[in-house]
Amino acid sequence: MVVVISAPRRRRSPPWFGAETRRALLAGLVVAGLALLAGWPYWRHHPAAAATTLVSCTAIAVAGVLLGTGARTRRTGLLFVAASACWAVNWAASWDATIGPILSPYAQADFYLAIAVGVLLYPGGRLEYLADRVWTVLACVILCCCPTALWVTSEPEWAAFRGESVWWPAPFPDREVFRVVLWASAVLYVLLALSYAVVLILRLPRMSRMRRMLTLPVAVVLAFVGISAALTQRPIMEDSIPLDDLLGVYVVQGAMAALLPLTLLASALRIRIGELTVAGRMLRLTAPVSVERVRDALRDVLRDPTLELWFWAPTEQTYVDTTGRPVALGPDDGLDADPKENGVYGGVHDGGHDEGGRWRRRVRGAAGDPLAVVELGGALRDHGSLVEAALAAGGRALETARLQASVHAGLEQVRSAYRRLVRAEAVERERLARDLHDGAQQRLLALGAMLGTLEAVTGDPAVKEHARVCRAELVEALAELRSLAREVQPALLVQDGLGPALEVVAERVGIRVKLDVTPRRFSREIESTLYSVLCETLSYAVDRARATQVDVRVGHEDGRLAVEVTCDGTGSRDPATDLAGLSGRVGALRGQMEIGGGPGAGTTVRMDLPCE
């Protein structure tokens, strides 16, 4: 299927017009002629019944040919054409001669069987459910055996046929048995119609919303026609009924059956109107254009809340999602290995579908360059024309959204690079803290022990004093080194997490700090970055804002960290200016930072970042 995205083009005529329509009308006229010939002895005296039946046969044949133009509705269309021919042959009973009477019951049974199975195949083109297949087998058995049992156990005049040339084998005629067969056939027909209604009801919950909208009216009408036909069949299932009464019931059943093609055409017209109005809906839903709006507009128009949209980023040479993250589309997605080769101009390529029944399609721009990949529910395969119309109508918006997605992809690359730096910084902090603890601190401790030994064993007062002074200086240097190691990477942060590490910091700042920190542990880079950001925020609250109280809250919900720091300090400058450098660290972890307050209003810092 090809869709022009940017360049205007002459729209291809839909299958409801042109050669297909002429072919459908011709088929309808042929079937009407066959019905006119088959029922001529009856039509001569009943023109109204003739008009009703001829219109019914023509409508079913026309609907069948038009449905046959679709790839997935071809089988339904062929069955409808066959049904219209069977209903025409059914009227051969009016001649009351030769094989017409014995052929009529089979033609009537085949008519209802073809119509019923055709609806079960609509619009997917196959019997998808076990109940559909079981009912089809039972219907074939019942609708074949009942007419056979009628002529096997009866004389032709018992079944309303009294012509001298009627061919009616009747190998085992028995009036009582014939009445039992009539009664059993009537019951089986009613049960078959009711079970068909149950099968249709069972199908509806398992269908997609769009398919349900398409098939529900047809299913309701067919259930009505089937049950009505079964009920109207019962009065004529009596022995020695006049032929005119039998044919009169056929007229009523044919008139009701005419509702079916009208309903099918109404459903098709509804889809066509949806295709024509999709352009306006896409324009309304995508204004102003953004990546998320285009995706949500397609979800709304196609009634698929699971629809996903990925855009081609030419600089990165990959597809990205709505946030700019690269998406790895595997080789089994139905997409070409090189998204720029073998492309159809301005087209949409039918992709593959995964185990969950998803359907992926690649969209190209007017210049033939890759534009996007759309992943849809598998049920939308039955509505390819609507998908085509939606993508064509949203072509301009897709082009604009692709540019935005490319910008997002560039920003995502910057974030990724910054994230790698943050991760490397966390690793380096941990290494430096370990080196300070295991290297310099241990050497200083050993040196202090040596000075203590020297002070203890020497007898020279001057040497003893110098050793004591050196040891005191060494203790102060060791304390400063430990403080530096704690600032580089606190051991509590690595061992116990963010809460205990912040408690130590709160004790050292010299003002009242209220902590409410979740005990949950997070990744190394998140804890390290958040610790350093909170330490700098507390330092700002004490040194620049002159705060007397600080509240720190760190919570976790739905895979995200929510951090809030508030203090009563006023400061003399805009806090957003002093703390602007912290937003880059938070943004590197795909988080957001908001700084509020100012002179006389206190300071509030909020952070929100993913932690899964």
Side-chain angles (χ1 to χ4, degrees), residues 84-407:
S84 65
C86 289
W87 192 248
V89 172
N90 174 61
W91 290 96
S94 65
W95 288 90
D96 198 11
T98 63
I99 65 170
I102 200 171
L103 189 62
S104 178
Y106 289 104
Q108 183 192 36
D110 289 341
F111 166 76
Y112 285 112
L113 180 63
I115 288 291
V117 176
V119 171
L120 292 180
L121 291 171
Y122 179 78
R126 60 190 180 92
L127 299 176
E128 300 182 61
Y129 309 111
L130 177 61
D132 300 351
R133 296 188 285 272
V134 171
W135 186 92
T136 301
V137 173
L138 292 177
C140 290
V141 173
I142 292 173
L143 294 177
C144 178
C145 292
C146 287
T148 302
L150 290 176
W151 62 260
V152 165
T153 61
S154 70
E155 296 289 349
E157 57 269 16
W158 300 350
F161 303 110
R162 296 170 178 81
E164 296 181 357
S165 62
V166 171
W167 183 77
W168 196 275
F172 307 106
D174 187 310
R175 205 175 193 90
E176 293 302 323
V177 174
F178 176 60
R179 287 176 178 171
V180 172
V181 169
L182 287 176
W183 181 86
S185 298
V187 172
L188 288 175
Y189 288 157
V190 172
L191 292 178
L192 193 63
L194 292 175
S195 64
Y196 186 76
V198 173
V199 168
L200 294 178
I201 293 173
L202 293 176
R203 284 161 50 96
L204 294 178
R206 291 177 285 183
M207 291 181 176
S208 65
R209 180 182 176 185
M210 188 167 293
R211 178 182 282 192
R212 193 180 302 124
M213 291 175 57
L214 188 63
T215 58
L216 181 59
V218 180
V220 170
V221 170
L222 185 58
F224 168 75
V225 171
I227 295 174
S228 301
L231 295 177
T232 56
Q233 190 79 2
R234 177 66 185 88
I236 66 171
M237 309 263 334
E238 302 289 346
D239 55 344
S240 302
I241 184 176
L243 181 59
D244 277 3
D245 292 351
L246 175 66
L247 298 177
V249 171
Y250 287 173
V251 172
V252 174
Q253 293 179 355
M256 291 187 297
L259 295 174
L260 186 62
L262 296 177
T263 306
L264 278 171
L265 293 175
S267 297
L269 182 61
R270 184 178 184 182
I271 294 297
R272 181 61 61 190
I273 292 174
E275 294 173 9
L276 295 177
T277 58
V278 72
R281 294 181 63 193
M282 284 295 297
L283 290 176
R284 290 195 304 272
L285 294 173
T286 57
V289 175
S290 70
V291 176
E292 291 80 7
R293 277 182 173 272
V294 173
R295 180 199 60 194
D296 294 342
L298 287 172
R299 286 179 175 177
D300 181 81
V301 168
L302 298 176
R303 296 183 175 89
D304 183 5
T306 65
L307 181 145
E308 293 295 340
L309 184 61
W310 302 302
F311 292 93
W312 175 250
T315 304
E316 290 74 17
Q317 290 293 295
T318 186
Y319 287 97
V320 298
D321 61 14
T322 54
T323 62
R325 296 182 184 179
V327 178
L329 300 181
D332 297 328
D333 297 322
L335 303 175
D336 298 336
D338 182 359
K340 294 189 290 184
E341 67 179 10
N342 301 327
V344 177
Y345 175 82
V348 176
H349 290 252
D350 192 354
H353 53 88
D354 58 21
E355 296 177 357
R358 305 291 291 168
W359 181 29
R360 285 182 180 174
R361 311 196 61 191
R362 191 177 66 205
V363 185
R364 289 191 180 277
D369 55 317
L371 182 58
V373 168
V374 183
E375 185 181 79
L376 311 142
L380 283 171
R381 283 181 176 273
D382 299 330
H383 311 284
S385 59
L386 184 62
V387 175
E388 176 186 4
L391 293 176
R396 296 290 187 183
L398 283 170
E399 291 278 6
T400 304
R402 196 267 298 271
L403 297 177
Q404 295 184 6
S406 298
V407 174

Side-chain angles (χ1 to χ4, degrees), residues 304-573:
D304 183 5
T306 65
L307 181 145
E308 293 295 340
L309 184 61
W310 302 302
F311 292 93
W312 175 250
T315 304
E316 290 74 17
Q317 290 293 295
T318 186
Y319 287 97
V320 298
D321 61 14
T322 54
T323 62
R325 296 182 184 179
V327 178
L329 300 181
D332 297 328
D333 297 322
L335 303 175
D336 298 336
D338 182 359
K340 294 189 290 184
E341 67 179 10
N342 301 327
V344 177
Y345 175 82
V348 176
H349 290 252
D350 192 354
H353 53 88
D354 58 21
E355 296 177 357
R358 305 291 291 168
W359 181 29
R360 285 182 180 174
R361 311 196 61 191
R362 191 177 66 205
V363 185
R364 289 191 180 277
D369 55 317
L371 182 58
V373 168
V374 183
E375 185 181 79
L376 311 142
L380 283 171
R381 283 181 176 273
D382 299 330
H383 311 284
S385 59
L386 184 62
V387 175
E388 176 186 4
L391 293 176
R396 296 290 187 183
L398 283 170
E399 291 278 6
T400 304
R402 196 267 298 271
L403 297 177
Q404 295 184 6
S406 298
V407 174
H408 291 170
L411 293 175
E412 180 62 24
Q413 280 199 333
V414 174
R415 292 193 193 98
S416 298
Y418 205 163
R419 196 178 306 118
R420 288 193 295 271
L421 290 176
V422 170
R423 189 177 296 113
E425 179 186 358
V427 172
E428 187 63 21
R429 281 174 174 269
E430 185 176 347
R431 186 194 64 79
L432 183 58
R434 185 171 58 252
D435 290 345
L436 289 175
H437 180 272
D438 298 339
Q441 289 189 55
Q442 298 302 321
R443 294 193 179 198
L444 289 177
L445 287 173
L447 182 58
M450 292 172 63
L451 289 174
T453 302
L454 178 62
E455 182 182 358
V457 301
T458 185
D460 189 342
V463 173
K464 187 183 290 292
E465 179 63 19
H466 281 296
R468 186 187 64 77
V469 172
C470 288
R471 198 156 69 94
E473 292 291 334
L474 188 61
V475 169
E476 292 183 7
L478 185 59
E480 293 177 359
L481 186 61
R482 285 173 175 170
S483 177
L484 177 61
R486 282 195 300 269
E487 292 179 3
V488 170
Q489 184 75 16
L492 277 176
L493 180 63
V494 177
Q495 296 172 3
D496 300 329
L498 194 61
L502 288 176
E503 290 178 2
V504 175
V505 175
E507 293 174 357
R508 298 203 311 260
V509 296
I511 62 173
R512 182 182 178 186
V513 178
K514 183 179 179 181
L515 294 176
D516 181 9
V517 181
T518 176
R520 178 169 177 171
R521 298 300 303 269
F522 304 99
S523 65
R524 181 170 55 189
E525 55 265 25
I526 287 180
E527 289 186 344
S528 177
T529 301
L530 197 56
Y531 175 79
S532 63
V533 168
L534 289 174
C535 285
E536 291 194 32
T537 304
L538 289 173
S539 176
Y540 165 82
V542 174
D543 298 337
R544 299 187 182 182
R546 302 291 190 269
T548 59
Q549 180 175 340
V550 181
D551 292 338
V552 179
R553 289 185 292 275
V554 180
H556 171 266
E557 184 177 0
D558 297 331
R560 301 192 69 85
L561 266 174
V563 183
E564 184 178 73
V565 181
T566 58
C567 68
D568 57 0
T570 58
S572 59
R573 292 173 38 176

Side-chain angles (χ1 to χ4, degrees), residues 40-65:
W40 179 249
Y42 185 73
W43 305 142
R44 289 182 300 177
H45 307 291
H46 302 83
T52 301
T53 303
L54 295 180
V55 169
S56 175
C57 289
T58 303
I60 295 174
V62 169
V65 174

